[in-house]
Amino acid sequence: MIGFILAGGRGTRLRPHTEEIPKPLLEVGGKTILGHQIETLINEGVSPILIVTGFLAEKITTFVNENFPNQDFIFIHNSEYESSKPAFAIIKSLEHLTDTTLYLNGDVFYEPQILKEVIENKNDSATAIQETNWDEEEVKVIIDKDGFISELSKNLTKEESSGEFIGITKLGDKFIDSIKEIAQNEGVEVFRHSFAIDLLNHVIHKSDNKIYAVNVTKLKAIEIDTPEDLNSAKDKFK
């Protein structure tokens, strides 16, 4: 099983915290976000771990190599991070995704049990969702009667939404193969300005692949996009 962490964004909404520190290296509860994510993957026996870098890439690689010297990492630098979005970085990394992949957004802090429940879910592809108060800024999901996600988007109304996608996702071999096929047929440039959720949603609609929704509402997780989010995370994970 492969770990895959997107850690290349500029984190502009978190300024001034991210002027000189990449967002994944901000600290919550005495740990960096990235360090916490790597620890949870290692504890579940996940290897290798791929990390996509962009903004201040050298700080990411230095942190990882100094703090986890005996682990197997592959660094993929997206030199076009200024002019692209996460879906582009995923497609640029596809040659390295040769097994079931645990995809994590590099700005999510969570209880380790969430990752464990996603990994142990019997379905090939699964993702953690929470039933939270509707927020237009969050990624929402629609879940079908069998528990699979039928729509993944920010543009869902309160009435449509079944919960919030929190960026901890297991993608099986077949799902990865479908991403590769779609990228080959449609071209990487189609996805240059797309988010990761847009790519996942596209695959759901263009193939017979499904992602099961693992409800982890009772566990703690937070996506850190703003200074307010950072303060909330520090309070939640004291």
Side-chain angles (χ1 to χ4, degrees):
M1 192 173 289
I2 296 170
F4 182 65
I5 304 174
L6 291 177
R10 287 192 62 93
T12 53
R13 288 194 287 165
L14 263 162
R15 289 175 179 165
H17 301 286
T18 51
E19 292 286 359
E20 298 182 1
I21 301 175
K23 179 161 63 166
L25 295 188
L26 294 176
E27 289 195 3
V28 175
K31 296 181 179 181
T32 65
I33 302 169
L34 181 60
H36 174 68
Q37 292 186 332
I38 291 172
E39 285 179 4
T40 62
L41 290 170
I42 291 172
N43 289 340
E44 293 299 327
V46 177
S47 183
I49 299 174
L50 282 67
I51 300 176
V52 179
T53 62
F55 178 59
L56 297 177
E58 69 285 352
K59 292 192 175 184
I60 295 284
T61 55
T62 297
F63 169 83
V64 172
N65 289 328
E66 287 182 351
N67 288 275
F68 303 94
N70 301 316
Q71 297 299 320
D72 186 8
F73 292 99
I74 298 172
F75 295 99
I76 305 164
H77 182 60
N78 176 22
S79 59
E80 299 177 76
Y81 70 90
E82 293 274 19
S83 60
S84 64
K85 287 189 165 54
F88 181 83
I90 292 174
I91 290 173
K92 285 291 190 177
S93 307
L94 284 175
E95 66 179 285
H96 300 283
L97 304 184
T98 57
D99 196 356
T100 296
T101 298
L102 284 169
Y103 145 62
L104 303 174
N105 288 328
D107 58 0
V108 178
F109 207 91
Y110 53 86
E111 285 191 70
Q113 182 64 23
I114 293 178
L115 182 67
K116 180 181 285 290
E117 291 194 14
V118 170
I119 290 174
E120 294 179 351
N121 184 269
K122 66 180 181 180
N123 294 283
D124 290 340
S125 297
T127 192
I129 68 103
Q130 292 185 323
E131 297 171 6
T132 58
N133 294 329
W134 184 87
D135 185 335
E136 65 180 356
E137 287 298 315
E138 303 302 336
V139 177
K140 280 80 69 177
V141 299
I142 296 175
I143 301 172
D144 68 20
K145 62 181 178 60
D146 297 314
F148 292 94
I149 292 174
S150 59
E151 190 72 27
L152 181 63
S153 173
K154 275 191 174 185
N155 303 316
L156 295 177
T157 66
K158 184 176 182 180
E159 291 70 30
E160 294 174 307
S161 175
S162 305
E164 176 188 339
F165 171 84
I166 58 176
I168 302 170
T169 304
K170 176 178 68 174
L171 299 174
D173 294 353
K174 291 181 180 179
F175 201 101
I176 296 294
D177 287 344
S178 290
I179 296 178
K180 292 177 179 178
E181 182 179 352
I182 287 170
Q184 184 175 13
N185 292 340
E186 300 185 23
V188 65
E189 287 302 316
V190 171
F191 300 97
R192 176 175 287 274
H193 302 295
S194 298
F195 291 98
I197 58 161
D198 300 322
L199 178 59
L200 298 182
N201 198 49
H202 193 64
V203 174
I204 289 170
H205 287 282
K206 285 282 188 175
S207 71
D208 59 357
N209 288 281
K210 295 181 178 182
I211 300 177
Y212 189 80
V214 181
N215 193 319
V216 295
T217 302
K218 293 182 180 180
L219 298 169
K220 293 185 291 186
I222 185 167
E223 182 181 10
I224 302 169
D225 287 323
T226 66
E228 292 75 21
D229 292 339
L230 183 59
N231 289 334
S232 294
K234 289 180 177 180
D235 184 59
K236 185 177 288 190
F237 291 93
K238 286 181 180 177

